[in-house]
Amino acid sequence: MKLDVQRTYNFNAGPSALPLSVLEKAQAELVNFRGTGMSVMELSHRSAAYEEVHNVAKSRLKELLSIPYNYEILFLQGGASLQFSMIPMNFLQSGKKASYVMTGSWSEKAFKEAKLFGEAYQAASSKEDKYRTIPKLSDLIFDQSDAYLHITSNNTIYGTQWKVFPNTENVPLIADMSSDILSRPIDVSKFALIYAGAQKNLGPSGVTVVIIRKELLEQANTNIPTMLKYSTHVNNNSLYNTPPTFGIYMLGEVLGWVQEQGGIQEIAKRNEEKAKLIYDVIDQSNGFYIGHAGTDSRSLMNITFNLQSEELEKKFLSEAKKEGFVGVNGHRSIGGCRASTYNAVPYEACKAFSEFMVQFQKNNG
Ligand SMILES: *Cc1c(COP(=O)(O)O)cnc(C)c1O
């Protein structure tokens, strides 16, 4: 049941599992980074050795996501949460409105920040439905004169995920991809801005990836603090001030690992197989396990479910913990159970968890 080298079955929602080989490489390079006689954490962010790390991370991301030439890649701080504010600060011009599709707690937080800077409204919401579903594209109501349309591609807490993205035509499409970036192929050219805190699929916490279309930059407000302008970071290769160097190094190594695995196509295939193991148990449990998300909206990254009573859920979670499954409790705001099966969570961990679920039902059904 146990994995080697004291590694646990990590289903944490974020920060979350990192590839073992990346951790081992970081450990091997920790005290003498590639002949510098220093840790990567001790390098000057203006040194050639660090610049190499920085630019390798950028170019790997560009290659893996086939990011077109008319986009900039930024490594920022403040998490996805600061992006909730930076986006309206930069792009919500007076006289324009921003539209938000509400699919969960993170959309709500993003919407709340937009309203502090200008006019924002909801293009659609699945709140009435306890955020079980992603609204149908045909139900989105927004205007071609809007400053942008904001979506959350994967809803970490409720366990839903967009399967197709809206075609917004003239309206810049902005997506919070914190919990599913790099988990499946996406057409970057459909988006004006993509952002993601690294700590789910990309690396450790502390670095936030932003992919931004150059054309959008030209429309940005200029009368805002220097650090909060995207252009400041674009003009300085994300080195205006000291970047989170160790996080960017780890990000680059995780991206290298994705390349070694065969790229996004291969990762996406595995993610489908991993999620299927657990969804199949839910679907074949005759209602013992109750999936939260509507079948068409199911996330391949965060699998949310309940048991028939809170008491049984408590028992499930405590036995799961005893068996070495970490992080399968639901988010503190909604309870229940959640298995986060991000890129670095191995197939074997999902297999073991699905078997545990079957066994638990046998013993308690
Ligand atoms: C985790 C998460 C966030 C918050 O990220 P921070 O980096 O902690 O600010 C925002 N959006 C989504 C979809 C998330 O999963």
Side-chain angles (χ1 to χ4, degrees):
M1 203 67 180
K2 284 272 182 283
L3 296 174
D4 57 340
V5 291
Q6 301 133 33
R7 295 283 289 169
T8 189
Y9 293 122
N10 183 354
F11 291 98
N12 277 336
S16 43
L18 288 165
L20 179 59
S21 63
V22 169
L23 294 172
E24 285 171 342
K25 186 170 176 201
Q27 183 180 47
E29 298 188 319
L30 191 70
V31 296
N32 181 2
F33 179 71
R34 299 174 197 174
T36 58
M38 287 174 263
S39 159
V40 68
M41 286 180 274
E42 300 168 291
L43 295 175
S44 162
H45 62 294
R46 307 287 175 203
S47 65
Y50 176 70
E51 204 176 335
E52 165 89 9
V53 168
H54 194 86
N55 292 334
V56 162
K58 258 174 93 168
S59 66
R60 284 182 180 161
L61 189 65
K62 187 168 182 170
E63 204 180 306
L64 281 166
L65 285 174
S66 308
I67 299 174
Y69 71 94
N70 58 328
Y71 284 75
E72 297 281 353
I73 299 168
L74 303 176
F75 300 140
L76 306 182
Q77 300 188 68
S81 299
L82 185 59
Q83 294 306 304
F84 297 163
S85 316
M86 271 178 77
I87 289 162
M89 265 190 169
N90 280 266
F91 304 119
L92 188 47
Q93 309 272 2
S94 61
K96 286 204 170 196
K97 291 180 191 162
S99 42
Y100 280 72
V101 183
M102 311 304 287
T103 52
S105 319
W106 297 117
S107 319
E108 286 177 6
K109 287 190 171 158
F111 183 59
K112 180 175 160 230
E113 296 303 299
K115 283 191 294 185
L116 296 174
F117 294 101
E119 250 189 279
Y121 70 97
Q122 302 187 358
S125 172
S126 53
K127 188 170 184 172
E128 297 271 280
D129 191 23
K130 295 206 172 98
Y131 292 128
R132 286 175 207 283
T133 53
I134 299 294
K136 284 207 226 51
L137 296 189
S138 56
D139 291 344
L140 305 189
I141 298 170
F142 60 97
D143 202 274
Q144 281 301 312
S145 62
D146 285 348
Y148 57 83
L149 176 82
H150 180 281
I151 66 168
T152 314
S153 62
N154 183 74
N155 300 284
T156 326
I157 295 174
Y158 290 91
T160 62
Q161 188 174 29
W162 291 71
K163 304 296 165 183
V164 280
F165 295 111
N167 192 348
T168 53
E169 292 172 46
N170 295 324
V171 181
L173 178 60
I174 295 183
D176 176 358
M177 292 198 185
S178 293
S179 52
D180 71 347
I181 191 166
L182 222 68
S183 70
R184 55 176 173 170
I186 47 159
D187 178 359
V188 172
S189 72
K190 282 194 105 172
F191 300 88
L193 191 155
I194 292 168
Y195 64 98
Q199 67 273 21
K200 277 81 181 227
N201 254 343
L202 297 176
S205 62
V207 52
T208 308
V209 169
V210 173
I211 302 164
I212 185 169
R213 195 189 281 149
K214 290 178 188 170
E215 210 178 287
L216 183 67
L217 280 167
E218 290 159 16
Q219 300 161 25
N221 291 324
T222 49
N223 201 15
I224 51 176
T226 309
M227 273 298 284
L228 301 177
K229 281 184 200 168
Y230 289 103
S231 60
T232 299
H233 303 288
V234 166
N235 295 337
N236 293 281
N237 190 25
S238 304
L239 286 157
Y240 172 75
N241 70 324
T242 320
T245 52
F246 189 73
I248 293 168
Y249 157 71
M250 289 295 287
L251 164 68
E253 292 306 318
V254 170
L255 296 171
W257 173 82
V258 173
Q259 288 178 328
E260 282 163 25
Q261 305 306 300
I264 296 205
Q265 298 285 351
E266 181 58 30
I267 289 277
K269 194 173 129 244
R270 282 191 214 167
N271 284 336
E272 278 177 32
E273 290 166 358
K274 280 153 48 184
K276 187 175 186 298
L277 287 169
I278 299 168
Y279 282 124
D280 279 354
V281 173
I282 294 173
D283 291 340
Q284 290 157 18
S285 71
N286 286 318
F288 184 82
Y289 296 110
I290 308 152
H292 180 78
T295 317
D296 296 343
S297 300
R298 280 177 168 175
S299 168
L300 297 185
M301 296 281 98
N302 309 98
I303 302 169
T304 49
F305 59 94
N306 288 87
L307 280 80
Q308 280 144 348
S309 69
E310 263 184 50
E311 205 185 331
L312 201 55
E313 257 165 25
K314 256 195 197 147
K315 188 170 182 207
F316 177 83
L317 291 171
S318 105
E319 285 190 21
K321 199 172 170 183
K322 261 186 243 150
E323 292 294 322
F325 300 104
V326 171
V328 290
N329 50 301
H331 188 266
R332 59 197 150 81
S333 62
I334 66 163
C337 311
R338 169 176 57 174
S340 297
T341 56
Y342 298 123
N343 289 354
V345 175
Y347 181 87
E348 294 67 36
C350 299
K351 179 103 180 114
F353 186 61
S354 69
E355 286 166 2
F356 165 75
M357 288 175 74
V358 169
Q359 192 56 46
F360 184 85
Q361 180 175 5
K362 273 195 191 137
N363 299 345
N364 297 274

